[in-house]
Amino acid sequence: MTILLLASLLSAAGDGANFYRVQQIDGVWWWIDPNGGRFISKGVNHISYTADHAPTLGYSPYERNAAAKYGSKEAWADAAVQRLQSWGFNTAGAWSNPETWMRGIAYTPILHIAYRAGGDWQTGSFPDVFSPHFRDKAEQIAQEECAPRKDDPNLLGYFIENELRWGPDWRSPKTLFRTFWELPSDAPGRRVVFNFAREHYSGSLDALNAAWGTSFESWEKVDALGSLDSVASSDGFAKVESAFLRLTAQTYYRTTAEAIRKHDPNHAIIGCRHAGYAMPEVIESMRGNVDVVSYNHYGNGPPVETLESIYQMTGAPVMLTEFSFKAVDSGLPNTRGAGDPVPTQSDRADGFERYVTRLMQLPYVVGYHWFEHADEPAEGRFDGENSNFGVVNIHDEPWEILTERMKQVNARVEAIHERSGQ
């Protein structure tokens, strides 16, 4: 199926005039707003009154300062949104307070289906997507979260999750094949992975032993193996891991997409915010199951080759849903959190301009969301991050060099993107 044909299919999500949708026009992808206008999603993540709690302090420094300054969450939300709009932003990104959602900007809730079904972001625990529990949880969440919003013109679309662990990364060295193999013997996913392995080798123990470097005498012995740590990595073993990853991703995306679209056929599914790496088996599984691919990345410039590959594999436009720069001159430690610190706020502003300008030269990119609204506390948030990611500091004061540049750049991105199809 060609990308042009997929364009017409993908734009069918929310194809009524009252909802945001994506569409390719003259070779360039855009969001189309509820009034029919072309729209680039320019967002900021975590526009939050409570911001980051500092465990060592027992409170959120930003929240205390915001409460003293505004007196209420509603007054804070009015001021925060108006200020962001003055800098050219039009979207409340992930983790933003609901109070920001009905104040003239688009919003993007995260459904957290995997984590609410037994996964965990910090440890990288992956839910048993083959279980009835996962299917039931996806259905329940979609009914509770999506059905009430199906007629909301302010909703841009849904993130399914944030940064699922699809393979070895900073949270675990294990592939999902090994992870599912270690589930309890009666878990649905454990039965699926064992049966998948047997079918992968056409029921031949000799083929499995040759690929795994083992000497099992029966399939019962294979099934009794509680961990695969003793199985050395090899090309033969990697092939079954790759094939199982594809099955797992297809099951996850199909299950979540069916639940969301059942309860809200009007709004886009914006993927699960991939965490800086894109495994082909997973990316290909999104085809037809998401309307926009969301990707998080911290670097000096956008990962153009990766984004191009994602687009070619899915046929869906892409949003860069986390990027940022932090500076030494902020006075914050900047020892935890993605990316290397730059020297000054001017360097942060240069980074934003460089990153966004290059991003908008890509015809398949439909938005960018900066991480985040307020700086993290110097004492560290829940995971120890203590960096100058904010557009405002802990006292709710704008980093003016950065925000002035953001205002200038945000004002011209539509013109840059319009030319990207030439």
Side-chain angles (χ1 to χ4, degrees):
M1 185 179 291
T2 66
I3 287 176
L4 287 176
L5 179 55
L6 273 169
S8 63
L9 294 176
L10 288 166
S11 64
D15 60 2
N18 295 325
F19 307 105
Y20 287 99
R21 61 199 187 278
V22 288
Q23 184 175 335
Q24 191 180 39
I25 302 172
D26 298 328
V28 179
W29 282 93
W30 300 88
W31 284 102
I32 304 300
D33 69 25
N35 296 315
R38 300 181 188 187
F39 183 87
I40 294 295
S41 179
K42 311 167 195 177
V44 173
N45 293 324
H46 202 201
I47 311 169
S48 171
Y49 183 72
T50 54
D52 288 314
H53 177 83
T56 59
L57 297 176
Y59 61 89
S60 163
Y62 179 84
E63 181 180 15
R64 286 196 172 185
N65 292 326
K69 183 175 181 179
Y70 298 106
S72 71
K73 185 181 288 189
E74 289 71 23
W76 163 85
D78 280 335
V81 170
Q82 289 173 14
R83 189 167 54 186
L84 288 165
Q85 288 176 310
S86 76
W87 299 331
F89 291 105
N90 57 25
T91 306
W95 309 291
S96 294
N97 283 169
E99 287 77 10
T100 67
W101 293 354
M102 299 301 176
R103 285 173 160 80
I105 58 176
Y107 71 99
T108 54
I110 308 181
L111 300 177
H112 296 297
I113 292 175
Y115 303 124
R116 293 163 70 178
D120 181 81
W121 176 82
Q122 284 187 273
T123 65
S125 174
F126 200 92
D128 186 349
V129 298
F130 302 102
S131 69
H133 172 70
F134 182 79
R135 293 191 295 273
D136 292 345
K137 182 60 71 170
E139 171 74 16
Q140 175 194 341
I141 292 169
Q143 186 174 26
E144 293 174 354
E145 302 285 345
C146 303
R149 297 189 172 108
K150 67 182 180 67
D151 297 320
D152 187 351
N154 297 302
L155 172 62
L156 187 73
Y158 300 103
F159 294 119
I160 315 172
E161 329 279 350
N162 180 63
E163 299 187 344
L164 276 178
R165 185 185 72 82
W166 291 105
D169 64 15
W170 69 95
R171 294 166 288 191
S172 171
K174 295 184 182 296
T175 63
L176 289 191
F177 186 86
R178 292 178 184 266
T179 297
F180 273 80
W181 196 278
E182 293 177 1
L183 290 174
S185 61
D186 60 347
R190 176 59 172 79
R191 304 319 310 156
V192 168
V193 73
F194 170 72
N195 290 329
F196 182 86
R198 183 162 54 185
E199 292 170 9
H200 182 81
Y201 297 108
S202 303
S204 170
L205 270 175
D206 289 341
L208 179 142
N209 284 327
W212 293 19
T214 53
S215 55
F216 292 111
E217 299 174 353
S218 69
W219 284 105
E220 289 75 20
K221 293 287 188 181
V222 178
D223 196 13
L225 192 65
S227 168
L228 295 175
D229 289 347
S230 61
V231 178
S233 295
S234 66
D235 289 344
F237 187 70
K239 289 178 181 178
V240 71
E241 290 185 304
S242 172
F244 182 74
L245 174 60
R246 188 181 303 278
L247 174 66
T248 305
Q250 289 171 343
T251 302
Y252 165 82
Y253 277 112
R254 183 178 61 251
T255 302
T256 55
E258 287 176 354
I260 295 168
R261 288 172 175 162
K262 173 182 176 182
H263 292 282
D264 183 354
N266 297 324
H267 293 101
I269 300 173
I270 324 178
C272 64
R273 304 171 58 84
H274 280 268
Y277 64 99
M279 304 174 80
E281 301 92 338
V282 179
I283 300 302
E284 291 171 356
S285 299
M286 288 192 282
R287 181 178 282 266
N289 291 314
V290 304
D291 303 289
V292 178
V293 179
S294 48
Y295 191 80
N296 299 344
H297 172 264
Y298 292 81
N300 288 330
V304 175
E305 290 185 6
T306 298
L307 299 180
E308 174 71 28
S309 178
I310 288 172
Y311 177 56
Q312 291 301 325
M313 284 190 281
T314 64
V318 180
M319 281 215 303
L320 208 298
T321 43
E322 269 189 47
F323 74 110
S324 197
F325 297 91
K326 55 188 180 183
V328 174
D329 69 357
S330 64
L332 288 169
N334 290 315
T335 55
R336 297 288 298 275
D340 296 324
V342 296
T344 69
Q345 297 302 312
S346 291
D347 294 309
R348 291 182 82 200
D350 290 344
F352 178 85
E353 181 170 11
R354 178 178 62 248
Y355 201 111
V356 168
T357 299
R358 183 68 184 101
L359 201 62
M360 287 292 95
Q361 291 169 347
L362 306 177
Y364 48 82
V365 173
V366 293
Y368 52 89
H369 293 182
W370 172 270
F371 184 82
E372 59 184 324
H373 179 250
D375 282 339
E376 295 167 337
E379 298 80 7
R381 63 174 196 175
F382 68 94
D383 59 357
E385 286 194 11
N386 54 15
S387 288
N388 167 223
F389 288 134
V391 293
V392 300
N393 64 21
I394 213 74
H395 302 286
D396 195 58
E397 299 163 340
W399 291 105
E400 292 183 353
I401 294 174
L402 173 65
T403 56
E404 179 58 31
R405 188 77 63 84
M406 287 174 159
K407 179 179 180 179
Q408 296 169 10
V409 174
N410 285 338
R412 59 177 183 259
V413 296
E414 286 83 4
I416 296 171
H417 197 53
E418 180 76 42
R419 296 192 295 270
S420 68
Q422 300 175 358

